[in-house]
């Protein structure tokens, strides 16, 4: 029953044919509405209590296990693809330099700023599994423009991720910034980042969340953004974008179609412009590098 919905419950919406599973973050009994966040998708919404249907814990557990299995399969595929390309690059580098000491890896460094703490933790775990050097910060979307330059100076990343939650108003004007919940903050943060580093290959930026103002984000200076068709993007999609940029060779431009294959949203949810990768290899491997020396 809708009257039984409480904070922490998992629910779907009848009016949207139960398309997305949410968890309840707030309930206003006087207004008869609940505040919802997507379990898998970067979406915040409110809904009438009588529109909600609770999802049993067992069903959520099955869903999470399926998601985990699919993620493990994708991670394994990414690792295998990366290993093959890196072996080829390492052989070319050491052969060219006639060096028998082997090559070391220098992936691009990521600064990930996320408006949702739970999604940030999911992405952090993914970065760790894929060995992406990253600094993660949970900051509300409206505060991102005020802190992004400070964090850029502090971290000095190759890649900047600006994400969290967004939403496009039903029957809104796609060209009107007021039709979007948080796009203006992502846009302002991108502009601030570009004031710090203008060159798009020196600082690669992904910005946006569910249904964000794709065209305006690119115009502001993002290399990649959501959402071309104003659809939802998955909680971990920004991390998959960052991983591809981090491990794509500086000698190459990123194959955008290949990159979006790693995401759940696909080309309708994420797009961008031609961009060079951030991954570098070096020789020789010294004892300090073998022990895990971190480049400043």
């Amino acid at each position: 029953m809708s009257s039984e919905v409480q904070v922490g419950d998992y629910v779907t919406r009848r009016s949207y044919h139960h398309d997305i599973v949410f968890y309840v973050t707030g309930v206003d009994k006087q207004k008869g509405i609940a505040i919802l966040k997507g379990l898998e998708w970067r979406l915040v919404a409110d809904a009438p209590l009588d529109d909600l249907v609770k999802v049993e814990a067992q069903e959520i557990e099955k869903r999470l296990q399926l998601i985990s299995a699919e993620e493990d399969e994708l991670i394994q595929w990414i690792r295998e693809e990366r290993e093959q390309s890196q072996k080829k690059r390492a052989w070319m580098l050491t052969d060219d330099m006639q060096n028998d000491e082997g090559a070391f890896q220098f992936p691009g460094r990521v600064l990930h700023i996320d408006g949702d703490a739970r999604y940030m933790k999911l992405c952090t775990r993914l970065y760790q599994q894929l060995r992406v050097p990253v600094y993660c910060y949970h900051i509300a979307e409206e505060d991102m423009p005020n802190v992004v330059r400070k964090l850029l100076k502090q971290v000095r990343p190759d890649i900047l991720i600006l994400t969290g939650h967004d939403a496009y108003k039903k029957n809104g004007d796609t060209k009107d910034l007021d039709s979007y919940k948080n796009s203006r903050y992502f846009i302002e943060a991108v502009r601030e980042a570009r004031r710090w580093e203008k060159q798009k290959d020196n600082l690669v930026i992904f910005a946006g969340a569910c249904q964000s103002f794709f065209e305006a984000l690119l115009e502001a200076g993002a290399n990649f953004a959501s959402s071309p068709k104003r659809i939802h993007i998955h909680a971990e999609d920004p991390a998959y974008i960052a991983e591809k940029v981090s491990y794509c060779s500086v000698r190459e431009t990123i194959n955008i179609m290949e990159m979006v294959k790693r995401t759940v949203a696909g080309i309708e949810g994420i797009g961008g412009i031609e961009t060079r990768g951030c991954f570098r290899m070096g020789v020789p491997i010294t004892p300090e590098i073998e022990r895990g020396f971190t480049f400043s």
Side-chain angles (χ1 to χ4, degrees):
M1 297 293 291
S2 60
S3 60
E4 298 175 352
V5 170
Q6 300 176 7
V7 171
D9 286 345
Y10 292 95
V11 297
T12 59
R13 299 173 295 181
R14 290 190 183 91
S15 59
Y16 285 81
H17 308 291
H18 311 284
D19 59 340
I20 295 176
V21 175
F22 295 89
Y23 62 97
V24 180
T25 62
V27 175
D28 188 329
K29 293 184 179 180
Q30 289 187 333
K31 294 182 179 180
I33 63 172
I35 308 301
L36 313 173
K37 286 188 178 183
L39 174 64
E40 307 164 50
W41 305 95
R42 287 184 172 272
L43 178 66
V44 171
D46 56 59
L49 290 171
D50 57 12
D51 190 37
L52 303 179
V53 177
K54 292 177 69 173
V55 181
E56 296 300 324
Q58 298 93 321
E59 183 61 31
I60 295 298
E61 185 61 30
K62 289 180 183 178
R63 194 179 188 108
L64 292 175
Q65 288 176 357
L66 178 61
I67 293 169
S68 180
E70 292 173 346
E71 181 182 288
D72 289 344
E73 185 175 339
L74 178 56
I75 288 172
Q76 183 61 31
W77 175 76
I78 290 172
R79 285 172 174 166
E80 291 172 358
E81 179 191 55
R82 182 197 294 174
E83 184 178 357
Q84 291 176 1
S85 62
Q86 288 176 1
K87 281 181 178 179
K88 181 179 178 181
R89 289 201 296 266
W91 177 84
M92 291 173 62
L93 184 62
T94 54
D95 184 63
D96 289 345
M97 300 185 69
Q98 296 182 347
N99 190 298
D100 296 326
E101 299 300 322
F104 61 86
Q105 302 176 7
F106 194 15
R109 181 186 302 176
V110 179
L111 169 58
H112 181 121
I113 304 176
D114 206 312
D116 187 281
R118 177 176 171 273
Y119 295 161
M120 186 189 73
K121 290 179 181 178
L122 291 175
C123 288
T124 300
R125 181 172 59 87
L126 187 60
Y127 287 129
Q128 291 171 344
Q129 290 178 299
L130 292 170
R131 294 183 285 112
V132 176
V134 66
Y135 295 79
C136 291
Y137 295 87
H138 170 222
I139 295 169
E141 290 83 356
E142 60 266 29
D143 295 328
M144 289 181 184
N146 301 323
V147 303
V148 64
R149 291 185 74 177
K150 177 182 177 181
L151 291 176
L152 285 169
K153 291 177 182 178
Q154 179 179 319
V155 175
R156 294 186 293 117
D158 304 291
I159 303 152
L160 171 64
I161 303 296
L162 296 163
T163 189
H165 293 286
D166 209 348
Y168 171 66
K169 292 180 180 177
K170 199 172 185 179
N171 301 320
D173 181 353
T174 58
K175 299 179 181 179
D176 184 356
L177 191 54
D178 289 334
S179 296
Y180 302 86
K181 181 177 178 62
N182 286 323
S183 286
R184 69 175 65 253
Y185 305 121
F186 295 131
I187 291 166
E188 290 170 11
V190 171
R191 287 174 178 159
E192 283 297 316
R194 282 290 168 231
R195 292 187 182 102
W196 186 77
E197 175 52 72
K198 294 180 175 60
Q199 296 299 319
K200 289 184 172 66
D201 285 328
N202 292 343
L203 178 65
V204 179
I205 301 175
F206 168 84
C210 281
Q211 301 180 313
S212 290
F213 196 163
F214 171 72
E215 298 82 3
L217 287 165
L218 291 186
E219 186 177 24
N223 300 70
F224 308 106
S226 58
S227 167
K229 296 295 185 181
R230 306 314 189 255
I231 68 169
H232 307 313
I233 71 169
H234 192 270
E236 295 174 332
D237 279 349
Y240 284 117
I241 297 296
E243 183 280 333
K244 180 61 177 177
V245 180
S246 178
Y247 277 90
C248 178
S249 174
V250 70
R251 300 180 182 185
E252 304 169 4
T253 54
I254 297 158
N255 184 319
I256 298 176
M257 294 304 298
E258 180 182 292
M259 179 180 68
V260 298
K261 284 180 182 178
R262 299 168 182 243
T263 68
V264 178
I267 197 64
E268 293 189 348
I270 294 170
I273 61 174
E274 189 175 32
T275 300
R276 193 176 296 280
C278 297
F279 181 84
R280 299 173 187 271
M281 298 202 77
V283 292
I285 297 177
T286 67
E288 287 78 9
I289 290 174
E290 282 192 307
R291 287 195 293 267
F293 175 80
T294 302
F295 293 85
S296 60

